[in-house]
Amino acid sequence: EERAADAGDQPFLLFEEQSISFAEMNARANRVAHAALAAGLRKGDVVALLMLNRPEFVLVWLGLAKAGIVTALVNTSATGEVLAHALRQVEARALIVGSELAASIDTLSLGSLPALLFEQTEGGTPRSALGWRDLDAALREAPESNPDPSVRAGITMADPLYLIFTSGTTALPKAARMSHMRFLNAGEVMAGLMEFGSEDVFYCILPLYHGAGGMVVPSVALATGRPFVLRRKFSRSGFWPDVRRHRITAFYYIGEIVRYLLSAPPAPDDRDHSLRVMTGAGLKPDVWAAFMERFGVTNIIEGLGSTEANYGITNADNRIGSVGRLPYPEASNIRILKWDVERGEHVRDAQGSPILARPHEVGELVAEVL
């Protein structure tokens, strides 16, 4: 609402041929909030969202948050028991499905579905299944005015803004709580590290259902009043044309994406672009150095963390291969405990307590749950 007031005419989100301003973002989010309240949803309820990358994804959870409703961002590849487990785990009162993923719902039994079912199209015809509500129609009937703050009274920074699911590599995916504080902190911190200014544009090529693309990128946009460019999915051939077209200056990566970009045949215009900074995780040192040399992007901010992690660390020094450092461990919840590689255990003192690792010693990162 503040951005709609002080940067209303500025673009918030650029998607294909669409440009959504901060004022339009706020108005469309308001429609979502009013439609949710009209459907009987209330503060503290959980609504599951299953949708591919497109503007409505962001606008839906922004609108639900205005009413104090928590959104569960469901992995778009989830079907069958994985999807049913996700809905059960978060006790979703409602499910919003993009029409492009409607077939995923056909893998579920009626007993696995929440009581309220909404479909959101991209201008097409909604599915006609019994019990589904047309979200587009509900939004057309809802007002654009800001909902009364009383509908979310009592919400604090520690409360969940949305739930993001783990990847499910060790078991069925688990829902991790993303608080309002974590969202706001992501934008302020990353905008500062990237030195975002009045000409910067962020690029989102990662899934919006995960923390990297879905939390950091829109948070930076809201914190700075600068736009981000959203793509349905990563494209190696479309990456640099997008950067040049929109004058993109920053993007969030995972290591494999950087490797894919580097694997493209060299071109005369490899350094003819506006990209100046990138941040992410999983970038191997050899790929890191080669990317900087070839494309001339000199500022790379690598981090370490995870969706459900209770810590985060970031390489603010642009040191190749590093995920960051702890100059003042006592000011954080992180410690590095000395590790005996041969024994596979912590090194302990005479009293049996772990010893802190010193510079150049092997250690294990541990973080206190606060």
Side-chain angles (χ1 to χ4, degrees):
E1 292 172 9
E2 290 177 6
R3 284 291 166 265
D6 63 24
D9 294 334
Q10 297 298 315
F12 164 64
L13 194 160
L14 304 170
F15 176 77
E16 297 176 351
E17 301 307 314
Q18 299 181 52
S19 177
I20 300 173
S21 69
F22 280 95
E24 184 181 355
M25 170 270 295
N26 185 58
R28 291 173 66 174
N30 287 338
R31 288 184 180 275
V32 173
H34 288 297
L37 293 169
L41 295 166
R42 294 294 181 265
K43 180 185 75 174
D45 287 341
V46 175
V47 173
L49 175 62
L50 183 64
M51 187 180 291
L52 295 179
N53 274 22
R54 50 189 176 95
E56 291 79 9
F57 188 108
V58 180
L59 299 171
V60 163
W61 70 250
L62 277 171
L64 293 175
K66 280 173 168 277
I69 297 167
V70 179
T71 311
L73 312 182
V74 182
N75 189 316
T76 54
S77 64
T79 58
E81 177 53 29
V82 173
L83 179 54
H85 170 78
L87 297 175
R88 288 195 304 268
Q89 185 183 128
V90 300
E91 298 181 344
R93 278 208 62 207
L95 171 63
I96 296 175
V97 178
S99 56
E100 67 276 16
L101 292 175
S104 299
I105 306 305
D106 294 335
T107 66
L108 301 180
S109 65
L110 289 177
S112 301
L113 293 171
L116 291 172
L117 301 172
F118 296 89
E119 184 189 4
Q120 203 281 321
T121 72
E122 283 190 281
T125 303
R127 61 188 280 143
S128 58
L130 184 65
W132 284 87
R133 303 188 184 196
D134 183 349
L135 182 59
D136 301 288
L139 295 178
R140 286 192 295 269
E141 297 174 0
E144 293 185 347
S145 57
N146 293 328
D148 193 301
S150 64
V151 300
R152 57 180 182 268
I155 297 291
T156 70
M157 295 286 272
D159 288 322
L161 168 63
Y162 45 55
L163 307 172
I164 295 181
F165 289 88
T166 60
S167 60
T169 52
T170 57
L172 286 170
K174 297 169 284 293
R177 290 160 52 98
M178 300 290 117
S179 68
H180 291 268
M181 174 63 82
R182 188 165 179 179
F183 176 84
L184 293 173
N185 185 62
E188 296 288 350
V189 170
M190 292 313 305
L193 287 174
M194 293 188 295
E195 299 181 321
F196 245 57
S198 60
E199 300 301 317
D200 282 301
V201 178
F202 218 165
Y203 191 26
C204 182
I205 52 179
L206 299 175
L208 288 173
Y209 62 74
H210 207 266
M215 180 169 67
V216 176
V217 177
S219 182
V220 167
L222 286 166
T224 62
R226 297 299 304 155
F228 73 96
V229 176
L230 176 65
R231 192 176 180 94
R232 290 182 191 268
K233 60 181 179 179
F234 168 68
S235 165
R236 191 181 75 173
S237 62
F239 183 90
W240 293 113
D242 274 357
V243 169
R244 297 181 182 106
R245 174 190 176 191
H246 296 290
R247 302 292 301 168
I248 290 167
T249 59
F251 91 101
Y252 203 113
Y253 65 83
I254 57 173
E256 284 298 282
I257 283 177
V258 182
R259 185 175 65 81
Y260 293 150
L261 291 172
L262 197 59
S263 69
D269 60 353
D270 275 345
R271 289 193 169 212
D272 179 18
H273 59 78
S274 53
L275 191 68
R276 64 171 186 84
V277 61
M278 44 199 270
T279 182
L283 186 55
K284 295 182 178 180
D286 58 334
V287 176
W288 187 329
F291 190 88
M292 291 178 69
E293 173 65 25
R294 176 175 166 183
F295 295 105
V297 180
T298 58
N299 191 9
I300 297 179
I301 304 170
E302 173 84 356
L304 176 68
S306 66
T307 303
E308 71 279 17
N310 62 316
Y311 72 92
I313 188 170
T314 302
N315 172 16
D317 305 302
N318 202 23
R319 180 170 178 171
I320 294 176
S322 172
V323 296
R325 57 189 173 93
L326 282 171
Y328 306 105
E330 64 278 4
S332 77
N333 68 328
I334 299 173
R335 300 292 185 272
I336 308 295
L337 305 183
K338 189 174 181 178
W339 186 260
D340 187 321
V341 177
E342 292 184 359
R343 292 177 175 271
E345 61 185 27
H346 295 117
V347 177
R348 301 178 181 271
D349 61 20
Q351 287 72 44
S353 299
I355 298 172
L356 294 179
R358 294 177 298 181
H360 308 295
E361 291 183 336
V362 176
E364 180 185 43
L365 184 152
V366 297
E368 180 185 10
V369 179
L370 300 175

